[in-house]
Amino acid sequence: MLLAGVSDSDACARSIAARLIAHAESKAATRGLLHTLDATLPGARSAAALALGLAGSEEAVDPLIAHLRDDAAGVRAVSAWGLGRLGQPKALAPLTVALKDQVPAVRAAAATSLGHLGESTTVEALSRALRSDPVDKVREAAAEALGHLGEKSGTPALIGGLSDQSVDVRRVSAWGLGNI
């Protein structure tokens, strides 16, 4: 019954259904969500990706990685976010590629997730995003991720972030430096 809600035409209904299914923690729900990732409606795919990320099922890692190449930017962004929640190192390389997506929300979600994965191998890519991404929210997410990583090699980019045009990037860069 709830799985049908993930494919509902109403965005609110999809979101509520996805959250409820995520908390059900059942194999049947996971299988249904994995099937819904292939739905025609992008909103249904996004809701399924959200629920899979919330549920924390390792079965979702490969499908969410595949959906980092979805035609719908919202699906790509939620898939990137979900991969960060799942915490699997297998997602590092695909998320690093997603830092170059043409849509800022996808880049920001990828940066956030890389910070949650906690791998020092991502410092260079996150530093590059902080130094050169044209969108404030992406630079802010990269600075926050570097702060979560707490790696000394991220210090130069965070110092550069202190003179960013965006007050939010400057604020988060200062916070990040405090974590190193």
Side-chain angles (χ1 to χ4, degrees), residues 15-38:
S15 178
I16 291 169
R19 290 173 194 277
L20 289 172
I21 291 168
H23 294 293
E25 298 180 9
S26 77
K27 295 253 183 216
T30 298
R31 281 191 304 272
L33 290 169
L34 289 169
H35 177 73
T36 305
L37 274 177
D38 294 325

Side-chain angles (χ1 to χ4, degrees), residues 111-123:
T112 298
S113 288
L114 288 169
H116 288 197
L117 290 175
E119 293 288 332
S120 62
T121 58
T122 63
V123 170

Side-chain angles (χ1 to χ4, degrees), residues 36 68 169:
T36 305
L68 289 174
V169 174

Side-chain angles (χ1 to χ4, degrees), residues 39-104:
T40 304
L41 187 65
R45 296 194 308 273
S46 292
L50 171 69
L52 288 164
L54 289 170
S57 170
E58 287 186 30
E59 290 176 71
V61 174
D62 288 331
L64 289 177
I65 287 171
H67 281 278
L68 289 174
R69 295 182 304 275
D70 195 281
D71 290 339
V75 176
R76 295 193 308 274
V78 177
S79 294
W81 175 86
L83 286 165
R85 294 263 314 182
L86 294 175
Q88 297 294 315
K90 181 181 201 174
L92 287 170
L95 285 169
T96 301
V97 171
L99 277 175
K100 298 175 184 170
D101 194 278
Q102 63 183 354
V103 177

Side-chain angles (χ1 to χ4, degrees), residues 4 9 36 49 99 121 126 129 142 166 171:
S9 61
T36 305
L99 277 175
T121 58
L126 288 166
S166 165
R171 178 185 48 78

